[in-house]
Amino acid sequence: MSVSAPARARLSCVSFLLYLALFLGGSAQLCVAASIHGVVTDPSGAKVTGANISLLSNGKVVGAGVSTADGSFQILTGTTGRFYLVVTAKSFRQVETPGFYAGALDNVERNIVVEPEWVRDSIVVTATGTPTPQAQTSAATSVLGPIDLSLQDNLASELRMMPGTFVVQSGQMGSVASLFVRGGNSTDNKILLDGVDVGDMGNQFDFGPLSTTAVESVEVYRGTNSNLYGAGADSGVVSLTTPRGTTNFPSLLFQGDVGNYYTSHEQLEVAGAHNKLDYLGAFNWLQTSNDLPNDEYHVATTAGNLGWQPNGNTQIRATLHYGVDGTGVPNAWDFYHVADQATEKDQDLLFSGSISNQTTPDFHQSARYGMTRKRDQYHLWSPSGDLLTYDSFGDQAYFGLPVVITGANGYAVSGRAILDFPSFSATGYPEEDQLVNNRDEISYQGDYRFTPHLIATAGFHYEDERGADPLGSITNVERTNYIYLATVHGDFKDRFFYTLGGSFGHYSNFGTQTSPRGGVTYYIARPRPGIFSGTRVLLNFGDAVQEPTLDDQFYSLYNFLETNGGQSTVQQLSLSPLAMPTTRLYEGGLEQAFFGQRLVFRTSFFHNQFGRQIEFVGLDLVPQLIPGLTPAQQNSLEQTLQADGAYELAINSEAYRALGVETTVEGGIGRNLFLRGGYTYLDAVVQRSFANDDVALLGPVPTYNNVPNGIPIGEDSPLQGARPFRRAPHTGFITATYATRKFTGLFTAAFASRSDDSDFLAYDDINGGNSLLLPNRNLDFGYAKIDLGGSYQLLTWLGIYAKAENLTNSQHIAPIGYPSLPLTARIGLKIQWGPGSGK
């Protein structure tokens, strides 16, 4: 969007007169005048005429204007300092822009998109790389805003409140939480914080301990996006944003609450803005005992955001998040009824420093430095259970209690499972495993607006990644990656919108990759009053790549065989060095608005093809891949691998496709109630698997003792023709938000059907056999997770809030073996301090 030619002419004349007045010594009021100008449009790009724009500073109106027939406006002010705009227009929700600084003679452009009064359309960045209204993109993008996050401590629950997503948390609060988007693996998502990649090498990311402290919004893009974000954006992008200080005075916010399971939570935030500077600092502490032995959890988060605007067109900003957490790891309680004496700790330092400049009215550029320092430590302090001899070699292990394990598919097994092994290291217990992930990145992006209907973006991204596994056979890994990107997006007559681009990346460990992407959306019927008030269709296509994780690279089957005399097996199975997995997306969709855009229905059909996927070969099979070893030697090699920290070896042997349909319905009832719901059907099928194709080359397919009805079972990976593990074919959600000046109420419900999985208890029974394996099909239970919360402002400075989670008291939200946290309830106070109002 751009200011019209007549408006630009007026601005040029104004600028000339201002400089002339300054030269001639005119009035001081005129000499320091700043111009704030822009265009007001609706989400579809149509110009909005007659919108009232107020310019505020220190809580007072210092200027006003009305948008003209072409949507443009201009406000002159004789003051300098920090400002913000408030825009009102008939049939649209009032919009308040973020604060900005304007100095003497600054020409500040602020283009404004107003939303329909009854629905929510957001400005998104992940779709095109530049701020663009959702209605002008073909991408499937959802945004969680301040109201959605106001009562949440972490993102695991909220990420379920959108189509195409499935969150799996292996335990209770603080345990590992993984996000699966449109059937992709949990490592197929790029996670960004203020534009910086904060995932581990290879895209592993744990949402369990991620605090919502100093997180203002979460934007989730569903689809391939390697053309903008490089390797890792195979299934989606999750972009988190840190809030800024806005008040013209230091404002202080404290909130604290208590709940069952000895839960306590305290958060302190200070923020404000003065002249060219804005600032925010926050600290958060949460602790709980959870509901299982040795499952205590705590997390401390410190965050800051500091911005400086030397003039109206340049901004320098730095944000920092530092999180420290620790949690007990009791293991899969339902398999043992004995808790492991283990802990996991994380220390994450995340930094973003950027400078952006509106060099000309049509050219914007930005540069960013990002730093990620992550430490993950796991300690098994001592073994638990009973020490028993379990095989013909005289091997011993620590076993849990006798249990009956029942899957959601109705099959059940009973017995005792191996919980821990005697230490294979010379130093004995405690055993430690640690992963180190360091990343430094530099990026540049330039956006040029050729016409009001065409914007081109070009950029460069460099990253230096270092990783280490002190207990692994390979202790240091470095990857130096260069990514070049270019994209164009625009429209024809505010009706046909398009995005086309691609990236060229050179990955030091994996070679050169290209990733194209394109998308179009077309308004068959423009937004208008009436029962059927707007129809648009969309199409998307894209390719993406992903880097293997550190563990994948450390424990590559190819590398292991090459260095341990298994060259003949490498040739027999046609193995190759670990490569980058690939994804290809096809998508088509429809959006239909009803009743003057009071109700919006969206649906999309997607087809993802995942190739060269990494799956794992269990240690029980690996020794058989090296010719000439006796059974005793094979057993010794397996124990040596375990002592080295390996439990399975990685191979590019899996391919699968995931197709499905996403649907959402959203709308408002009155000005205060907003409703949203969605359903996703996912049909994912494994097309190739090592467990089917290559294991057969070793000899007869293994038989499993006491497996119900002799059903074939994938121990570590799904079998060909089956569904990938931990991806439910049916998921859905419902949310309701009611907000008034004093009261806010939130209701959320997430639903999921049964999903395929493994209990991973191969060779773990009392005889070293497989009698504890359960069929994969529908092994994990379906669930309904219902949460309720609200807040009430008692006084201008004092509020009260409460929340209750898992109202159905479901024990099966987590995968099989991991009891979910039962019903929890918390209540707290919120105290705010700060004189007056303003921005």
Side-chain angles (χ1 to χ4, degrees), residues 45 58 64 79 84 134 152 167 190 217 233 250 268 312 405 431 451 488 514 565 620 636 644 672-673 716 730 781:
N58 296 327
T79 62
Y84 67 101
Q134 281 179 299
Q152 295 295 337
V167 175
K190 179 73 77 173
S217 65
L268 180 67
I405 304 172
E431 291 188 341
T451 75
V488 294
T514 58
D620 53 283
S636 175
D644 197 36
N672 305 114
L673 180 61
D716 302 291
H730 304 278
F781 289 83

Side-chain angles (χ1 to χ4, degrees), residues 261 784 786 805-813 821-824:
Y261 301 110
I786 300 175
E805 295 191 66
N806 194 11
L807 294 177
T808 59
N809 207 38
S810 173
Q811 296 294 292
H812 296 295
I813 299 172
L821 189 63
L823 170 67
T824 62

Side-chain angles (χ1 to χ4, degrees), residues 431-512:
E431 291 188 341
E432 177 184 358
D433 189 14
Q434 176 173 291
L435 280 177
V436 176
N437 284 270
N438 296 332
R439 180 185 296 107
D440 294 278
E441 60 182 78
I442 298 173
S443 60
Y444 168 83
Q445 181 173 307
D447 314 310
Y448 189 80
R449 184 169 48 200
F450 288 95
T451 75
H453 304 282
L454 175 62
I455 297 177
T457 299
F460 167 79
H461 185 84
Y462 164 81
E463 58 186 16
D464 180 27
E465 301 177 303
R466 288 95 57 203
D469 178 4
L471 298 183
S473 57
I474 302 174
T475 57
N476 292 287
V477 169
E478 183 169 7
R479 301 173 182 174
T480 304
N481 304 325
Y482 301 84
I483 303 162
Y484 306 87
L485 64 94
T487 183
V488 294
H489 66 93
D491 69 277
F492 293 108
K493 298 183 178 182
D494 294 328
R495 197 175 189 117
F496 178 84
F497 298 88
Y498 60 91
T499 300
L500 180 64
S503 67
F504 175 87
H506 177 73
Y507 302 90
S508 59
N509 289 41
F510 306 100
T512 300

Side-chain angles (χ1 to χ4, degrees), residues 128-148:
T128 62
T130 59
T132 307
Q134 281 179 299
Q136 298 180 29
T137 73
S138 60
T141 310
S142 299
V143 178
L144 301 172
I147 292 181
D148 301 303

Side-chain angles (χ1 to χ4, degrees), residues 9 31 41 93 109 155 164 274 354 435 551 582 674 689 699 703 706 727-728 747 766 789 792-793 815:
C31 291
T41 63
R93 186 182 296 112
E109 185 176 37
L155 292 177
H274 177 69
S354 65
L435 280 177
D551 279 340
T582 63
F674 181 75
S689 170
T703 56
N706 300 323
R727 266 145 280 195
F747 170 85
I766 198 69
Y792 185 77
Q793 198 69 27

Side-chain angles (χ1 to χ4, degrees), residues 45 256 301 392 397 660 818 827:
T301 304
S392 59
Y818 296 89
I827 186 169

Side-chain angles (χ1 to χ4, degrees), residues 238-256:
V238 179
S239 179
L240 297 85
T241 304
T242 304
R244 306 174 183 181
T246 58
T247 55
N248 62 323
F249 48 81
S251 63
L252 187 70
L253 170 65
F254 170 80
Q255 62 185 67

Side-chain angles (χ1 to χ4, degrees), residues 470-726:
L471 298 183
S473 57
I474 302 174
T475 57
N476 292 287
V477 169
E478 183 169 7
R479 301 173 182 174
T480 304
N481 304 325
Y482 301 84
I483 303 162
Y484 306 87
L485 64 94
T487 183
V488 294
H489 66 93
D491 69 277
F492 293 108
K493 298 183 178 182
D494 294 328
R495 197 175 189 117
F496 178 84
F497 298 88
Y498 60 91
T499 300
L500 180 64
S503 67
F504 175 87
H506 177 73
Y507 302 90
S508 59
N509 289 41
F510 306 100
T512 300
Q513 303 286 338
T514 58
S515 300
R517 183 175 73 91
V520 296
T521 183
Y522 176 70
Y523 276 90
I524 298 174
R526 292 295 306 272
R528 64 190 188 278
I531 296 178
F532 297 96
S533 48
T535 306
R536 72 181 179 113
V537 294
L538 59 91
L539 296 170
N540 287 298
F541 163 81
D543 283 349
V545 293
Q546 177 202 335
E547 286 189 295
T549 68
L550 273 179
D551 279 340
D552 295 339
Q553 188 167 346
F554 289 150
Y555 303 117
S556 160
L557 177 64
Y558 174 88
N559 291 343
F560 172 79
L561 293 177
E562 282 288 321
T563 56
N564 289 276
Q567 289 83 359
S568 61
T569 303
V570 168
Q571 295 177 357
Q572 181 185 17
L573 302 183
S574 301
L575 299 181
S576 58
L578 212 58
M580 300 181 79
T582 63
T583 303
R584 173 165 291 179
L585 162 73
Y586 301 95
E587 179 183 9
L590 170 72
E591 178 183 297
Q592 177 65 57
F594 300 93
F595 308 111
Q597 294 186 284
R598 286 173 169 80
L599 185 70
V600 177
F601 169 81
R602 299 183 179 96
T603 185
S604 291
F605 170 80
F606 59 87
H607 185 289
N608 288 330
Q609 182 64 51
F610 298 91
R612 294 198 312 230
Q613 296 297 298
I614 293 174
E615 61 178 334
F616 305 99
V617 181
L619 293 193
D620 53 283
L621 178 62
V622 169
Q624 302 176 45
L625 300 178
I626 298 180
L629 295 183
T630 65
Q633 290 172 325
Q634 291 178 355
N635 183 66
S636 175
L637 177 58
E638 182 176 344
Q639 294 186 359
T640 301
L641 284 168
Q642 289 178 343
D644 197 36
Y647 293 92
E648 50 197 8
L649 299 185
I651 179 176
N652 290 107
S653 57
E654 186 179 67
Y656 69 97
R657 64 109 171 111
L659 58 85
V661 178
E662 296 176 352
T663 58
T664 59
V665 179
E666 63 180 51
I669 301 177
R671 298 179 180 273
N672 305 114
L673 180 61
F674 181 75
L675 304 172
R676 189 166 64 94
Y679 164 77
T680 300
Y681 169 71
L682 176 67
D683 179 19
V685 177
V686 174
Q687 298 163 316
R688 185 180 186 278
S689 170
F690 176 87
N692 285 97
D693 298 342
D694 293 334
V695 171
L697 296 176
L698 302 174
V701 177
T703 56
Y704 302 113
N705 298 326
N706 300 323
V707 173
N709 300 324
I711 299 172
I713 293 175
E715 312 164 17
D716 302 291
S717 300
L719 300 177
Q720 184 173 322
R723 297 190 298 239
F725 290 165
R726 300 186 177 182

